[in-house]
Amino acid sequence: MRYFRFSSLFVILSAALGLSPQAPGQERSPAGPRTVASVDGTAISEEELNKAAAADLEKLDVQKLQFEANFIRNRQQILENTLKRLVEERLLDAEAARQGTNRKDLLAKEVDQKLKDPTPEEVSAFYESNKDRIRAPKEQVAVQIQQYLKQQNYTKIREELIESLKKGKDVTIFLEPLRADVAVAGEPVRGPEKAPVTIIEFSDFQCPYCRSFSTTLERVMKEFGSEVRLVYRQFPLNEIHPMAEKAAEASLCAQDQGKFWEMHDTMFKDQANLKVEDLKIKASGLGLDASAFNACLDSGKYAQRIQKDARDGAAAGASGTPSFFVNGRFFNGAIPYEQMATIIKEELQKKGPVTIKP
């Protein structure tokens, strides 16, 4: 299968649309803008066309950045998963040889024979914990839940076997995880500059999952203290969260007066009220200079900066919220505190801090 480079694809499309400088029959005024169409003698300039298409072209650029980032990340994931499998196979084969058997029979003995079917009580407990997402009667999904739980148990028993086989053996992984360079200079920060772990979050103030994750991050900052710094960057999902853009601007207007995190916390605690007038009331309640804040918000002072945040996030692989980077390693979703703590501890075990380029 052949893949076009984006630059080549742009040339092809430009020529097809009559935008190429070499397109036949096209006129260019030596002193003025290029004409791309004419209606009853009235010209439509290239500048006018680009301005009218700006929003859609911006979306296309973001999609291109996300595609490229996802390709790189998916390639790395394939390598990591394959390496994990190869390491496990070596461990299993060595143990099978020690026991005078083969890998298949070893797994049957150490995993399959220990695997039990989930009980009806376990199926019911899982359903009750997740029925808001399942949205179907338990009787319709009981078999699928049982299969899912059984697979989870299989994975758990197998991983426990692999961990036991690693004991007393020198198993070293030299393949480094993929790390993105995400700018932090001038962004809102909590925690010391030289903390060994930097979390860069791309978030949306109207996103319910971001609100949940903000609670997790608050606990992270409390539990890990000076070992972690948190950087916030904007990623409003305007198509589904119409109030997110202005909320993002409001947070940066509050930053002008040294109260970004206060506004951050206030908006997440009250996501239902993020209209412009609500944001101004919140700012007043935080003791901000109302005149300066309102002028900042009404002027759209930070609209372009927020667009840049969104482009930077897309270039690093973010496509939804929350998305975040731990010392450059990409993760997404409102993961629980326990998983977050494990990731941070992995980074703390490495030699020295990992540099995040400003």
Side-chain angles (χ1 to χ4, degrees):
M1 182 181 293
R2 289 180 176 269
Y3 291 91
F4 285 110
R5 293 179 61 86
F6 280 102
S7 58
S8 301
L9 184 58
F10 178 77
V11 170
I12 294 169
L13 290 174
S14 297
L17 294 171
L19 301 181
S20 170
Q22 289 77 34
Q26 186 175 68
E27 296 180 353
R28 179 193 291 272
S29 170
R34 184 165 49 178
T35 297
V36 293
S38 177
V39 180
D40 282 341
T42 301
I44 299 175
S45 69
E46 183 180 26
E47 181 181 3
E48 184 180 355
L49 171 62
N50 288 334
K51 185 176 180 180
D56 289 332
L57 290 175
E58 175 67 19
K59 291 179 183 178
L60 186 63
D61 285 344
V62 169
Q63 290 171 4
K64 171 187 171 182
L65 293 171
Q66 290 172 338
F67 175 87
E68 293 172 342
N70 287 334
F71 176 84
I72 294 170
R73 191 166 62 245
N74 290 340
R75 182 181 185 279
Q76 177 73 11
Q77 190 64 60
I78 289 172
L79 293 174
E80 290 179 1
N81 290 342
T82 303
L83 181 58
K84 181 176 183 287
R85 175 175 59 80
L86 291 174
V87 169
E88 291 178 355
E89 288 175 355
R90 293 285 178 90
L91 291 168
L92 291 168
D93 288 342
E95 180 62 17
R98 189 186 71 81
Q99 296 187 23
T101 185
N102 56 56
R103 189 196 310 164
K104 181 179 178 181
D105 290 342
L106 176 67
L107 287 171
K109 171 188 172 184
E110 299 293 342
V111 180
D112 295 344
Q113 292 181 13
K114 297 179 180 179
L115 186 62
K116 297 179 181 179
D117 289 332
T119 65
E121 291 76 18
E122 289 172 332
V123 171
S124 295
F126 180 89
Y127 177 82
E128 290 300 320
S129 299
N130 297 275
K131 62 182 179 181
D132 290 342
R133 291 185 295 167
I134 296 174
R135 296 180 181 179
K138 185 178 72 173
E139 294 73 20
Q140 292 183 11
V141 295
V143 173
Q144 292 94 318
I145 292 175
Q146 186 181 47
Q147 292 172 344
Y148 172 79
L149 292 176
K150 189 171 183 177
Q151 180 60 47
Q152 292 293 101
N153 290 337
Y154 178 90
T155 301
K156 181 175 180 292
I157 295 170
R158 191 180 189 281
E159 288 179 349
E160 288 174 350
L161 171 62
I162 296 298
E163 288 303 311
S164 70
L165 296 179
K166 288 180 181 180
K167 293 178 180 178
K169 295 182 177 62
D170 182 13
V171 179
T172 306
I173 304 298
F174 297 102
L175 182 66
E176 276 291 313
L178 190 67
R179 298 184 188 273
D181 290 333
V182 183
V184 299
E187 304 297 342
V189 178
R190 271 178 173 164
E193 181 180 356
K194 294 185 178 181
V197 176
T198 295
I199 302 169
I200 304 172
E201 178 194 17
F202 284 85
S203 189
D204 173 319
F205 286 109
Q206 201 180 344
C207 164
Y209 301 107
C210 297
R211 175 181 179 176
S212 173
F213 191 54
S214 70
T215 303
T216 297
L217 291 176
E218 187 175 331
R219 182 178 173 187
V220 164
M221 299 304 294
K222 180 179 179 181
E223 297 291 336
F224 287 91
S226 62
E227 293 179 311
V228 172
R229 70 168 171 165
L230 172 63
V231 181
Y232 187 99
R233 297 201 62 178
Q234 313 285 350
F235 203 83
L237 303 177
N238 300 321
E239 293 183 358
I240 58 174
H241 296 149
M243 296 183 289
E245 172 78 25
K246 274 299 179 182
E249 291 182 34
S251 71
L252 297 177
C253 290
Q255 185 184 22
D256 283 348
Q257 300 186 43
K259 290 197 174 182
F260 171 87
W261 293 105
E262 290 84 350
M263 179 62 84
H264 166 283
D265 295 347
T266 298
M267 290 192 292
F268 271 134
K269 289 176 182 176
D270 185 24
Q271 287 185 314
N273 297 297
L274 295 178
K275 296 178 181 178
V276 170
E277 55 267 30
D278 298 324
L279 299 172
K280 293 178 179 179
I281 292 171
K282 286 176 170 55
S284 178
L286 292 173
L288 297 178
D289 181 318
S291 177
F293 178 88
N294 294 350
C296 174
L297 189 61
D298 292 338
S299 69
K301 174 182 177 181
Y302 287 113
Q304 289 188 349
R305 175 172 165 179
I306 291 166
Q307 288 182 1
K308 182 180 184 302
D309 273 18
R311 287 178 64 86
D312 287 353
S319 59
T321 56
S323 292
F324 60 98
F325 300 81
V326 182
N327 282 351
R329 294 169 58 191
F330 175 80
F331 301 90
N332 60 9
I335 66 173
Y337 171 80
E338 291 74 19
Q339 185 179 349
M340 194 73 188
T342 298
I343 296 167
I344 293 169
K345 289 174 183 176
E346 287 176 0
E347 292 302 309
L348 290 173
Q349 289 172 0
K350 298 181 183 297
K351 294 182 180 179
V354 176
T355 301
I356 306 294
K357 294 183 180 179

